[in-house]
Amino acid sequence: MDVLNDRQQLPPETTLWSGSPSKRVAILKPLLVAILIAGSFIYRPDAWTFAARLCASLYPQQADLASLAPAAFAGLVLSIFIYGYAVAVTTNYICTSERLIIQKGLLSRSEDEIELYRVIDIVQSSHILQMLVGVGSVTIKNTDQTGTVTMPSIASASRVRNVIRSAAENCKARRVRVFAE
């Protein structure tokens, strides 16, 4: 009963940070792919013609459709990157004083949460594209069933890492105090 009373005296859960992956980085990938495909079509149309002839020779009974294969492949690659953009746009992260909530989904939403007292380590990193745009990735290692979680392309990644680390340490300290009594 004492533990229940201690929990009732704890301050309410507050939101410390909320954000989502950078839209700039998310749009850069499909944009670069589209530029590469358009550039290859404009500057090397013979390569597209060669690929169309190759597909037509491999499938002579469907030569009409085989000539469209390079364009279909380019469309597929671009679609994959556009899907990646859509996933990034629909992902949200919320760090409260008790947990990290991950909301994601394009056609259906899912919500996962990590209790901050389970956080073991937090790592911040940036690759060249992220450094050019001024964002970074925050990776959270924890003992939760979710496992390691990476939040890609987060603005002010260093600040976010420090907010999560401080909140995790405070949560662990409160938890030890409650169970020690």
Side-chain angles (χ1 to χ4, degrees):
M1 194 67 167
D2 292 327
V3 173
L4 187 60
N5 289 334
D6 287 340
R7 286 188 181 207
Q8 290 173 347
Q9 294 171 359
L10 291 176
E13 190 171 9
T14 58
T15 300
L16 304 174
W17 172 83
S18 65
S20 61
S22 171
K23 307 313 184 259
R24 293 177 290 178
V25 172
I27 194 67
L28 276 177
K29 290 177 184 177
L31 187 62
L32 287 174
V33 169
I35 289 170
L36 287 173
I37 290 171
S40 71
F41 183 71
I42 291 168
Y43 293 110
R44 295 295 301 206
D46 54 327
W48 286 80
T49 306
F50 172 75
R53 286 186 190 149
L54 179 65
C55 290
S57 69
L58 292 173
Y59 302 101
Q61 63 274 26
Q62 296 174 345
D64 298 342
L65 292 176
S67 64
L68 298 175
F73 178 73
L76 176 68
V77 170
L78 188 58
S79 297
I80 291 169
F81 282 95
I82 289 173
Y83 176 77
Y85 169 76
V87 168
V89 168
T90 59
T91 300
N92 294 313
Y93 304 104
I94 302 167
C95 180
T96 69
S97 55
E98 298 291 323
R99 56 202 168 123
L100 176 67
I101 303 166
I102 304 159
Q103 301 169 329
K104 61 172 73 173
L106 183 60
L107 299 175
S108 65
R109 292 293 274 172
S110 68
E111 189 170 300
D112 195 7
E113 57 185 57
I114 299 169
E115 296 292 335
L116 290 179
Y117 72 87
R118 293 178 180 254
V119 171
I120 298 170
D121 191 23
I122 304 169
V123 178
Q124 175 209 343
S125 61
S126 298
H127 57 71
I128 187 86
L129 183 60
Q130 290 176 331
M131 287 189 281
L132 289 173
V133 181
V135 298
S137 295
V138 178
T139 302
I140 301 163
K141 298 175 185 172
N142 61 77
T143 60
D144 200 45
Q145 253 186 325
T146 305
T148 301
V149 173
T150 299
M151 301 186 310
S153 304
I154 300 294
S156 303
S158 179
R159 186 181 68 80
V160 171
R161 183 196 72 213
N162 287 329
V163 166
I164 295 171
R165 184 193 60 75
S166 297
E169 293 302 319
N170 289 339
C171 196
K172 288 174 188 176
R174 281 195 310 267
R175 191 166 178 82
V176 168
R177 219 177 12 246
V178 168
F179 286 123
E181 294 176 351

